[in-house]
């Protein structure tokens, strides 16, 4: 019975996340905040790009 490497990677990631949350919840909260800031910045950049395209892609 072969084990899928993707399933192993997901399992290891989940175990790591739970370990970080349990051992240092404040640091885990910082990681979540950094992640959401990154997502927010990426969404803003996509919005700026789409606005640039809608304006005719002029400099």
């Amino acid at each position: 019975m072969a084990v899928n490497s993707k399933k192993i990677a997901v399992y290891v990631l989940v175990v790591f996340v739970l370990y970080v949350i349990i051992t240092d919840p404040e640091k885990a909260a910082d990681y979540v905040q950094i992640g959401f800031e990154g997502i927010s910045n990426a969404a803003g950049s996509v919005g700026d790009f789409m606005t640039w395209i809608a304006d005719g892609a002029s400099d």
Side-chain angles (χ1 to χ4, degrees), residues 9-19:
V10 170
Y11 178 73
V12 169
L13 181 65
V14 168
V15 169
F16 175 73
V17 168
L18 290 175
Y19 172 77

Side-chain angles (χ1 to χ4, degrees), residues 17-35:
V17 168
L18 290 175
Y19 172 77
V20 170
I21 290 171
I22 291 169
T23 58
D24 196 358
E26 291 178 5
K27 190 99 164 174
D30 290 340
Y31 290 148
V32 170
Q33 182 177 2
I34 289 169

Side-chain angles (χ1 to χ4, degrees), residues 32-43:
V32 170
Q33 182 177 2
I34 289 169
F36 279 123
E37 286 176 1
I39 292 169
S40 175
N41 290 339

